[in-house]
Amino acid sequence: EGRSGGGGGGRRPHHGVVEEGVGPGESETWLERVRKQVDFYFSDANLRRDGFMRQKIQDGNGYVELSTILQFNRIRALRCRYPAQLAQAVRKSDMLVLSEDKTAVKRDLTKAPMEETDSLAVAMRTVYVEGLPLTFTIDDLSLFFSRYGRVRFVDLPRHPETREPRGFCFAEFASDEEASSAPAALHGSW
């Protein structure tokens, strides 16, 4: 499906939400998972890569219609089907706000200002990992990497024709320190 974070119609399904702060054995409610996924769509990490979402935000004066978000693959996989369900999840967000008519959502730039990040800064907090089991999903990798720090983004490249994982990924951490400590901790993990 093409452009980003597991969205809808034509976007690549190989980018995904990171569930920051959820460690092994901790459970989340369905509503929290939906909220985290929508937060991810509006995150700096996703918007740097997701031209579709950036265009929707620009076209909507900062807002994206809930009906658009309901079409995204990861939202559909979470079985979020109705605007009212999505609106309920958005109300729990610290970074997003609903439009007055409750049909669209935008990032609250007062609460969550956009990062001024250059590509070198992002590269310094991104780790390349190879030799991954081909059965690993974005969610598996996000959960695994969260043991070593706050993960912002996981990119799991897939073969363009077969859509099979290629056995490596890129994991972006919240800080340089977390990114630099992860490789040592990961050594020999697979």
Side-chain angles (χ1 to χ4, degrees):
E1 290 213 5
R3 296 170 193 98
S4 115
R11 270 192 268 274
R12 287 185 305 238
H14 68 272
H15 297 303
V17 70
V18 171
E19 298 183 6
E20 266 186 47
V22 177
E26 297 179 37
S27 64
E28 290 183 297
T29 68
W30 172 81
L31 203 56
E32 288 170 329
R33 289 192 306 272
V34 172
R35 191 244 341 133
K36 284 184 176 186
Q37 186 63 50
V38 178
D39 279 354
F40 172 77
Y41 292 138
F42 286 88
S43 72
D44 294 316
N46 186 55
L47 292 176
R48 275 195 304 277
R49 297 164 175 91
D50 188 345
F52 177 81
M53 223 14 217
R54 284 193 314 271
Q55 188 64 52
K56 286 292 183 187
I57 290 168
Q58 183 179 342
D59 293 349
N61 258 351
Y63 286 97
V64 176
E65 295 291 324
L66 295 180
S67 59
T68 298
I69 294 171
L70 284 170
Q71 299 305 307
F72 292 175
N73 285 341
R74 284 190 162 259
I75 294 297
R76 291 171 57 159
L78 288 168
R79 301 196 188 285
C80 184
R81 302 283 189 255
Y82 304 104
Q85 293 173 317
L86 200 52
Q88 186 180 6
V90 168
R91 281 188 204 97
K92 297 195 171 290
S93 174
D94 292 331
M95 68 181 282
L96 303 175
V97 292
L98 289 168
S99 60
E100 279 189 39
D101 65 1
K102 312 287 188 256
T103 63
V105 60
K106 76 173 184 175
R107 182 169 169 167
D108 183 336
L109 296 175
T110 306
K111 292 180 186 175
M114 298 296 286
E115 268 183 11
E116 295 295 326
T117 305
D118 62 48
S119 56
L120 179 60
V122 173
M124 293 299 293
R125 63 177 188 245
T126 301
V127 192
Y128 169 79
V129 180
E130 60 185 14
L132 298 174
L134 298 180
T135 56
F136 269 30
T137 66
I138 290 289
D139 294 330
D140 296 331
L141 292 165
S142 297
L143 182 60
F144 182 82
F145 292 132
S146 70
R147 298 179 203 168
Y148 308 107
R150 295 165 295 146
V151 181
R152 291 223 177 130
F153 190 85
V154 173
D155 183 8
L156 180 62
R158 296 179 178 273
H159 189 278
E161 292 174 16
T162 67
R163 305 303 301 151
E164 292 293 318
R166 295 175 66 190
F168 65 91
C169 76
F170 299 91
E172 180 186 332
F173 287 86
S175 71
D176 297 2
E177 295 77 25
E178 290 164 312
S180 63
S181 67
L186 291 170
H187 183 70
S189 294
W190 323 117

